[in-house]
Every structure is written in structure tokens, then in C-alpha cells.
Amino acid sequence: EAQVTQNPRYLITVTGKKLTVTCSQNMNHEYMSWYRQDPGLGLRQIYYSMNVEVTDKGDVPEGYKVSRKEKRNFPLILESPSPNQTSLYFCASSLTSGEQFFGPGTRLTVL
Amino acid sequence: AQSVSQHNHHVILSEAASLELGCNYSYGGTVNLFWYVQYPGQHLQLLLKYFSGDPLVKGIKGFEAEFIKSKFSFNLRKPSVQWSDTAEYFCAVNPRMDSSYKLIFGSGTRLLVRP
């Protein structure tokens, strides 16, 4: 089954404690991205990757890092999380048309 | 800057009422257009898409959307909503002449359908 998976689905952490949210897709898509979803703001792109070892900033990259060492994986790293990063995070992989396939989401709370 | 506007943030309807959600975008070039739906507690799923051809496109669950190029609009419609259509709806635009993978989202419209 074609899918995008994310782990963990729910995470509660404290300010400053480094965390990683994993993302994996089995559709051999070159393009992957991370979004955060906040009420009234829709989805905002954090980072994206056009291919292995090629990443770039989206609209709200501050406080986040990513890596793309393999085509299928695109982890999101928060080196020092802060409460304003409490949000719902979605990973997506994409066809060249822009049509995106979303993971199930990770709800992060930073205390 | 490119942007997508969804003017209705919250819509409340009774079952069997007709639905129209507005979407306008600001980009002068060729675009691919999408509507995504997010049911409570779930991830975004594709409802329908437009790349070219007939500007009236049909999606899943009885939804359709019309692309009006002169108005930079891609409004979503459904003749008769059901309680199960309660969800948040996002319009999204892929500016084809820009980064070909990029998708710009509107802020979403929350639809509540009362039984």
C-alpha cells in the first residue's frame, strides 16, 4: 500500500530537549516536505527536499532542521524545542504535478 | 508573493443544503489546482484536482470544482451535503512555472453539517 508514515504520532516534551520526528514514504517520490498546521493559519511549509542530499527552507524554517540521506526518509529535527513549536506536523511526498500525499500527522506539545 | 485565499473560515449548513466554498489565488502563470479535505483527527486527503482541460472537475463523494481563469478562482461545490462532510477543506495551488513541486495552501474552511 502506497503511504507516508510518521512517528511518533503524539509527543509531549519539554523546552530544550532535542527531538526527531521520522517520515518515510514507499512511493519512490523525489520530493518530500514538512508542514505545520496551526488553527486559522492553514498549512505552512517548514522545509522541503527535491531529492537526496538536496533540501531547502520553506516559509517557516526557524528552529527546525532536516536531512535527506535516503530517498524514502525525511526526518524533522528540533534541536531545542520551544513552546511556540507546539503544533500538528505533517510530512508529505509529492508528484511533479504538486499533488501531495500526506502522512497521518504528529501532534507535538512542548511544555 | 503567491497566495491562496479562502474567504469563508467557518461554514455551518444543514444536511441536504448546497455548498460552495470560495478559493482565489494570486499567480499570473499556469497553475495546477487542488482541494484537500481533512476529517476530524485525520490527515489531508485529495478531494479533486485540476491540471488542464474541462474547467469543471469532479472529485470524490459528489464534490466538484470550477476553475475560472479570469477570476483566478477554483470554487468547491456540492449540491447536497451530508453530516459526514463535516471537515476542514483546503484549497491549494501549484504554480507550474515556479518550483514544480511547491504547493501553496489556503488557510482552510471548517464546515459543520448539522443533521
Side-chain angles (χ1 to χ4, degrees):
Chain A
E1 180 190 353
Q3 61 181 349
V4 179
T5 57
Q6 292 178 231
N7 282 291
R9 296 289 313 280
Y10 302 90
L11 180 59
I12 300 174
T13 189
V14 295
T15 299
K17 186 175 180 181
K18 181 180 178 179
L19 67 92
T20 299
V21 184
T22 64
C23 172
S24 184
Q25 52 99 0
N26 62 1
M27 294 170 279
N28 203 36
H29 290 161
E30 291 181 345
Y31 186 88
M32 297 183 73
S33 59
W34 276 102
Y35 296 87
R36 60 178 290 172
Q37 183 180 15
D38 302 289
L41 297 177
L43 277 81
R44 295 179 291 168
Q45 192 179 52
I46 302 170
Y47 267 93
Y48 64 93
S49 170
M50 301 282 281
N51 213 327
V52 175
E53 301 292 1
V54 181
T55 64
D56 206 348
K57 296 176 181 178
D59 299 316
V60 288
E62 293 78 21
Y64 304 95
K65 285 176 57 177
V66 292
S67 69
R68 188 91 181 272
K69 293 184 171 55
E70 305 166 278
K71 197 171 188 178
R72 62 184 292 124
N73 296 324
F74 189 45
L76 179 70
I77 303 155
L78 284 72
E79 295 268 4
S80 182
S82 62
N84 64 12
Q85 292 178 298
T86 291
S87 187
L88 180 58
Y89 292 86
F90 287 101
C91 179
S93 68
S94 174
L95 299 170
T96 55
S97 64
E99 179 178 349
Q100 307 218 354
F101 299 82
F102 288 86
T106 295
R107 188 166 291 280
L108 172 66
T109 301
V110 183
L111 301 174
Chain B
Q2 300 149 1
S3 65
V4 178
S5 298
Q6 292 181 242
H7 306 295
N8 310 102
H9 298 297
H10 294 90
V11 174
I12 301 174
L13 295 172
S14 297
E15 275 194 313
S18 64
L19 170 72
E20 180 159 4
L21 301 182
C23 173
N24 288 89
Y25 62 93
S26 63
Y27 182 72
T30 307
V31 294
N32 294 331
L33 298 159
F34 304 86
W35 275 97
Y36 283 85
V37 60
Q38 185 179 29
Y39 297 104
Q42 296 189 26
H43 63 287
L44 278 81
Q45 303 169 45
L46 183 68
L47 204 52
L48 48 78
K49 58 189 176 186
Y50 172 79
F51 294 164
S52 64
D54 188 343
L56 184 62
V57 293
K58 296 191 183 301
I60 60 172
K61 304 185 180 184
F63 286 91
E64 64 179 32
E66 184 175 14
F67 171 49
I68 303 179
K69 189 175 181 180
S70 61
K71 294 185 178 180
F72 299 91
S73 70
F74 190 54
N75 293 352
L76 181 71
R77 299 196 291 250
K78 186 171 183 178
S80 176
V81 295
Q82 300 173 309
W83 175 78
S84 57
D85 292 325
T86 293
E88 190 160 16
Y89 294 81
F90 293 93
C91 181
V93 173
N94 164 241
R96 275 197 251 163
M97 295 300 288
D98 201 341
S99 172
S100 61
Y101 299 91
K102 188 174 180 66
L103 207 55
I104 303 165
F105 284 88
S107 57
T109 298
R110 284 189 184 273
L111 171 65
L112 173 63
V113 180
R114 291 183 168 151

